[in-house]
Amino acid sequence: MKNKTKLSLKKKVLFSFATCVLFFLSLELLLNVCGVQPTYYDDDPFVGYSSNSPLFVTSSIRDGAEMVTAANKLIYFNEQRFLKDKPKRTYRIFCLGGSTTYGRPYDHQTSFSKWLGEFLQAADPTRDWEVINVGGISYASYRITALMEELNRYTPDLYVVYTGHNEFLELRTYGQQLDAQQPLAGLSNLIGQTRTFALTERLLKSRGEKESGEYGQKQILPEEVAAILDKTVGPETYTRDEQLWQRTLKHFEFNLLRMEHLADKAGADIVFITAASNIRNFSPLKSEHRDDLLADEQAQWEILVHSANVSSSNERYAEALDALDKASDIDDRHAELHYQRGRLLDRLGKFDLARAAYQRAIDEDVCPLRAPSSFQDAVRQVADETDHRVIDFERLVQRWAKDGIPGDDLFLDHLHLTIDGHRRLAAELFQYLEDSGTVSPNASWSELSRQKIARRIEGEIDTAQQGKALRNLAQVLSWAGKHLEAKQLALQAIQLAGEDAHTNFVAGHMLYQSGELDQAAGFLQKAIELEPNHVLARLDLAEIHLQQDEFVQAKSVIEKAIQLDPERQQSYVILEKVLENEPSRNSAPAGL
């Protein structure tokens, strides 16, 4: 009898594994032939929305042939128009993102999407270029992906995505959703992108077994942004939450991959832009000590910081830096400490070290309204993994900025670009399209052509409206506790909208808060001249007269304010202080 050949356990396992792999590869090939597509990124498993009205609706003017921004969305979006059915010669670009894409503090007319459209049409008129601004104020990555689902209906050719700043604006909770996938995250992602998984998912969904997402119940958000800051006085509501931070980063990475998937489904290209910010001239919004800092350690930390402040005020910058370095050894999680280190290194001419300290201040900011470096890295990584282009705008602005440190030369506030900053970004996008062969500039395209476009765009700017936009931005910064930055913007606003009553009031109010009473009084008086019924300007002016012992003037101003608005209680408080301090009330009766 012949001896039977026995397989070892190892060979049996390998044979079984190879058989399974071959089976699933065959099944994947069959499903591909049948048209089954992966669905892993078709839906956001972490957030949903209470309602979902479209951003674009058919225009009644052109019998439904044209799409226009819905009226109820104009508080967040610029009005944009385009044909529902894309004409053959048209190359359609959707620019997505938050308020920077929108063009804040201005609007679409000076945004990078406007500049890009003008560049493309002038350089290559053989095609009709549509650059549609879909920047939503305060929109984060998860809202952008939801928009892309709608935009895919309109045959896009290219998506331009500028995102990263707004991921912490809305209150979100993840529970165990993201944690559940972490131990097998790589394997989970791989399986989720197979056609076998897609078929299984559809079968389960048809039986009603997939109603709450892959990782648990979705959080349902309102249709439009409900920013935490809109419901609070300044950034005090924010506190350090490492777990939420990591979960938010994971969701951000998922959204970037989902954007790539949605673009691929539409047959469109996609280019990501890293979100740049002002690191030199804007301090952190909120700082906190490390959680385990002991009382005696904090006391020593405060002594060192005070010593650094004294040394810095006396221009002993190296000595001040040494004190802050020692304080950092005690607690290196305090955002403001890193920002002040950056300021000292900046003054000492150590610009590379200063830039690193400024960036660390952003990364430690407990109210992170500027994209932290880990979120910038996520954009670069996803673009690299998916073989898509990334325009590393964060590093570009470093190259353009004075001393390699982005500041007021490129930004109006903590993250909104100057008009020239938008132009520069548009030029980078144009170069990308040229390098990819999408646009072929004609022989007449030159630097002179670009200058001509710049003169036209800048010539169409309404300087009064521009000033009012800066005024509104100043008010936001003041509310956030950034009084110095707010005052500087208010004074810029005056230069552009000096004949606007409310702009004069805001400038006067900012100066009054900073103790510059004479200059403040001048702006407040101007506001009253332009608008005699401006009660708030009268209240501030009365307070200034009171502080300068000008009781007759204070009484006259506040009595007029009461006459204009008898219901405002603050007016009576000021009037009482005036009456209490009048010399006639405090002097002794004569002849006794």
Side-chain angles (χ1 to χ4, degrees), residues 315-335:
E315 299 184 2
R316 299 195 302 271
Y317 300 132
E319 185 180 305
L321 180 62
D322 182 62
L324 288 188
D325 286 343
K326 290 176 181 176
S328 181
D329 290 339
I330 298 171
D331 178 13
D332 67 346
R333 299 303 308 275
H334 198 275

Side-chain angles (χ1 to χ4, degrees), residues 103-107 412-413 419 461-477 486 488-507 510 530-531 534:
R104 273 289 176 108
Y106 312 127
D107 56 23
L412 293 168
D413 57 4
I419 294 172
I461 294 172
D462 184 330
T463 55
Q465 287 301 115
Q466 189 179 6
K468 291 173 185 177
L470 292 178
R471 173 200 74 199
N472 294 338
L473 185 56
Q475 289 179 288
V476 172
L477 295 184
Q488 291 170 341
L489 273 175
L491 293 176
Q492 290 179 41
I494 282 289
Q495 295 176 5
L496 298 168
E499 295 303 309
D500 177 68
H502 195 58
T503 303
N504 277 275
F505 162 69
V506 170
M510 302 295 175
L530 293 167
E531 188 180 322
H534 204 301

Side-chain angles (χ1 to χ4, degrees), residues 165-372:
H165 287 318
N166 296 332
E167 299 307 303
F168 294 91
L169 269 182
E170 293 186 88
L171 181 62
R172 283 179 291 153
T173 56
Y174 290 104
Q176 301 304 311
Q177 296 168 314
L178 283 169
D179 294 341
Q181 75 175 121
Q182 291 313 300
L184 295 173
L187 180 60
S188 173
N189 291 345
L190 181 62
I191 293 172
Q193 295 176 64
T194 64
R195 291 169 174 81
T196 305
F197 177 85
L199 179 62
T200 305
E201 180 187 58
R202 288 170 186 171
L203 291 172
L204 290 174
K205 191 170 184 179
S206 66
R207 298 179 181 182
E209 296 180 19
K210 186 179 175 292
E211 295 299 321
S212 59
E214 290 87 341
Y215 307 112
Q217 187 65 41
K218 290 183 182 183
Q219 181 187 2
I220 302 301
L221 297 173
E223 179 177 346
E224 288 302 344
V225 177
I228 297 171
L229 295 174
D230 291 343
K231 302 176 182 178
T232 61
V233 180
E236 292 307 309
T237 301
Y238 282 85
T239 188
R240 182 176 286 123
D241 187 335
E242 300 286 2
Q243 189 177 58
L244 178 62
W245 182 290
Q246 291 302 319
R247 289 172 174 174
T248 302
L249 176 58
K250 290 295 180 184
H251 191 197
F252 180 67
E253 293 169 345
F254 175 88
N255 291 326
L256 295 174
L257 288 167
R258 187 161 176 250
M259 290 177 204
E260 185 274 336
H261 171 74
L262 288 167
D264 187 59
K265 281 185 70 174
D269 196 4
I270 187 168
V271 58
F272 294 102
I273 303 172
T274 56
S277 56
N278 180 346
I279 66 174
R280 176 181 249 159
N281 302 116
F282 203 93
S283 59
L285 285 161
K286 187 179 179 185
S287 303
E288 283 185 0
H289 289 290
R290 61 181 172 87
D291 295 336
D292 58 348
L293 189 67
L294 301 176
D296 59 336
E297 291 177 319
Q298 183 170 339
Q300 182 61 30
W301 185 93
E302 290 172 354
I303 290 170
L304 288 166
V305 170
H306 176 72
S307 174
N309 290 337
V310 172
S311 298
S312 180
S313 64
N314 290 303
E315 299 184 2
R316 299 195 302 271
Y317 300 132
E319 185 180 305
L321 180 62
D322 182 62
L324 288 188
D325 286 343
K326 290 176 181 176
S328 181
D329 290 339
I330 298 171
D331 178 13
D332 67 346
R333 299 303 308 275
H334 198 275
E336 185 66 27
L337 175 73
H338 290 290
Y339 182 74
Q340 294 305 327
R341 283 190 71 253
R343 300 280 285 179
L344 292 170
L345 289 162
D346 211 340
R347 289 179 178 129
L348 291 167
K350 300 179 180 180
F351 300 123
D352 288 343
L353 292 173
R355 183 172 58 248
Y358 286 136
Q359 184 60 55
R360 181 68 186 277
I362 290 177
D363 291 342
E364 296 293 349
D365 195 340
V366 178
C367 182
L369 302 189
R370 291 172 287 181

Side-chain angles (χ1 to χ4, degrees), residues 13 56 86 408:
V13 171
F56 292 105
K86 185 179 70 176
D408 288 346

Side-chain angles (χ1 to χ4, degrees), residues 20 32 40 74 106 221 273 324 346 390 413 441-442 446 450 498 533 540:
C20 290
N32 184 32
Y40 185 67
L74 291 176
Y106 312 127
L221 297 173
I273 303 172
L324 288 188
D346 211 340
V390 61
D413 57 4
N442 56 31
S446 64
R450 288 187 283 270
N533 294 340
D540 276 0

